[in-house]
């Protein structure tokens, strides 16, 4: 694609998750677009996509890759695991500053993943706060609820829940999580909310434990509301693709609808670059360039 027609700054947190870094040791950070001729809500929603993607990565690998001693058998009170019984992260995704604990009751297992202030993850992002994963002790119920409590990525604060059904192998043999999203994110533009559904599939690399070779596709739809109460419905009309070897989403289309008018953002043809194409409701086409930028304080 031709670049430099329109420059866009991205303002959110790193993407290691469902579509983050080139080797998942890098990430897209701070994805808020400067508005200019780009519709303001589209710009802001694009920034929140980056934050949510990072959060998705943490919940995905917490669900699929954490091994706790005696996690699925026996009963215990809430316990902080000593170093010799530290949770084993098969994916290699979690930074060394991560703290893990578990609680097993008659019916549920609760895994708490917490990060102290100024914890630096493997993407160089500053994170803090807590993610709590709750799952039932059942051979048939694959539902997990991830609750984010002041989970902060480069100054962007996430609160809310994601309720997922984790499938180790779908009909194509790939791992996936699917379910509902109900989160708020504090941004430079105020607190915004995102409510909807989301499906993330590891389409390549799911047969290894490491996160570094995972290619992901993302589909879903949601309602996005900014701090002023402006809303827009958003649907991923062509699956978003985040390869392991690129820090950007390289394919896929999002369609935005407001007051019966639609616009779309096309992430590209599979080429690893930082350019997307926005087509507004009146037919105006603008190329945008994604840049790394952290939230201002």
């Amino acid at each position: 694609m031709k670049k430099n027609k329109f420059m866009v700054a991205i303002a959110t947190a790193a993407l290691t998750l469902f579509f983050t870094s080139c080797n998942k040791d890098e990430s897209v950070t701070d994805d808020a677009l400067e508005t200019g001729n780009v519709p303001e809500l589209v710009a802001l929603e694009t920034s929140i996509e980056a934050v949510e993607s990072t959060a998705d990565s943490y919940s995905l690998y917490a669900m699929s890759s954490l091994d706790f001693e005696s996690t699925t058998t026996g009963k215990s009170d809430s316990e902080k695991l000593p170093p010799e019984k530290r949770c084993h992260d098969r994916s290699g995704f979690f930074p060394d500053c991560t703290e893990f604990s578990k609680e097993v009751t008659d019916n549920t297992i609760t895994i708490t993943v917490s990060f102290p202030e100024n914890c630096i993850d493997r993407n160089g992002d500053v994170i803090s706060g807590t993610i709590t994963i709750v799952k039932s002790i059942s051979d048939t119920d694959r539902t997990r609820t991830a609750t984010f409590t002041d989970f902060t990525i480069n100054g962007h604060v996430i609160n809310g829940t994601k309720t997922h059904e984790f499938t180790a192998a779908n009909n194509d043999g790939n791992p996936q999580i699917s379910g509902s999203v109900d989160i708020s994110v504090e941004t430079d533009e105020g607190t915004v909310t995102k409510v909807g559904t989301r499906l993330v599939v590891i389409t390549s690399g799911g047969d290894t434990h490491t996160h570094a070779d995972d290619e992901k596709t993302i589909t879903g739809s949601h309602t996005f509301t900014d701090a002023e109460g402006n809303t827009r419905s958003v649907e991923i009309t062509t699956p978003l693709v985040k390869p392991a070897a690129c820090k950007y989403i390289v394919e896929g289309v999002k369609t935005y609808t407001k007051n019966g008018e639609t616009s779309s953002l096309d992430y590209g043809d599979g080429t690893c670059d930082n350019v997307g194409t926005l087509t507004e409701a009146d037919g105006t086409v603008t190329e945008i360039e994604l840049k790394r930028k952290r939230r201002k304080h």
Side-chain angles (χ1 to χ4, degrees), residues 4-283:
N4 298 325
K5 284 188 177 180
F6 188 83
M7 300 295 292
V8 179
I10 294 267
T12 36
L15 294 205
T16 44
L17 108 339
F18 296 23
F19 28 104
T20 57
S21 64
C22 291
N23 57 4
K24 286 187 227 94
D25 289 331
E26 300 178 45
S27 62
V28 178
T29 61
D30 285 2
D31 283 345
L33 308 177
E34 292 177 356
T35 55
N37 294 325
V38 180
E40 192 168 327
L41 281 179
V42 173
L44 186 56
E45 191 278 337
T46 303
S47 83
I48 298 305
E49 182 68 63
V51 175
E52 185 181 13
S53 296
T54 301
D56 276 344
S57 288
Y58 275 98
S59 60
L60 171 66
Y61 292 115
M63 292 175 187
S64 65
S65 301
L66 297 184
D67 286 337
F68 282 83
E69 232 177 65
S70 303
T71 294
T72 58
T73 61
K75 304 179 180 68
S76 68
D77 296 324
S78 179
E79 61 176 317
K80 186 77 170 191
L81 298 179
E84 65 272 15
K85 292 185 178 181
R86 183 178 176 85
C87 170
H88 174 58
D89 169 26
R90 293 176 299 172
S91 69
F93 176 77
F94 292 91
D96 293 338
C97 46
T98 311
E99 299 175 357
F100 303 94
S101 65
K102 71 166 183 177
E103 181 177 4
V104 183
T105 67
D106 289 337
N107 302 312
T108 62
I109 298 170
T110 301
I111 296 173
T112 301
V113 185
S114 58
F115 308 90
E117 291 294 327
N118 298 318
C119 179
I120 309 296
D121 73 8
R122 301 190 189 283
N123 304 303
D125 300 299
V126 181
I127 59 176
S128 62
T130 302
I131 305 172
T132 305
I133 310 290
V134 179
K135 62 179 181 177
S136 64
I137 299 176
S138 169
D139 293 332
T140 58
D141 188 355
R142 295 174 298 182
T143 302
R144 281 94 160 128
T145 299
T147 300
F148 298 87
T149 305
D150 293 336
F151 181 58
T152 305
I153 307 168
N154 295 330
H156 296 80
V157 183
I158 305 173
N159 283 284
T161 60
K162 286 174 170 282
T163 301
H164 295 299
E165 180 177 293
F166 174 71
T167 303
N170 61 17
N171 292 336
D172 295 321
N174 297 319
Q176 68 176 40
I177 59 173
S178 62
S180 62
V181 176
D182 187 352
I183 60 172
S184 66
V185 182
E186 294 179 19
T187 74
D188 289 330
E189 293 80 7
T191 299
V192 302
T193 62
K194 190 171 185 177
V195 179
T197 61
R198 195 168 177 88
L199 168 65
V200 181
V201 182
I202 299 178
T203 50
S204 179
D207 55 347
T208 66
H209 291 315
T210 179
H211 70 100
D213 59 356
D214 293 349
E215 175 173 296
K216 303 181 181 77
T217 63
I218 304 95
T219 55
S221 61
H222 61 270
T223 298
F224 178 82
T225 307
D226 70 4
E228 303 300 322
N230 300 305
T231 64
R232 186 178 297 267
S233 63
V234 184
E235 182 178 3
I236 300 172
T237 47
T238 302
L240 306 181
V241 178
K242 165 62 185 68
C246 185
K247 64 182 176 181
Y248 302 103
I249 302 169
V250 300
E251 292 182 57
V253 177
K254 278 186 174 181
T255 299
Y256 304 85
T257 304
K258 182 180 176 67
N259 298 329
E261 296 186 339
T262 62
S263 56
S264 64
L265 180 64
D266 188 333
Y267 284 85
D269 60 2
T271 302
C272 181
D273 61 23
N274 61 342
V275 176
T277 302
L278 178 72
T279 302
E280 300 183 40
D282 63 1

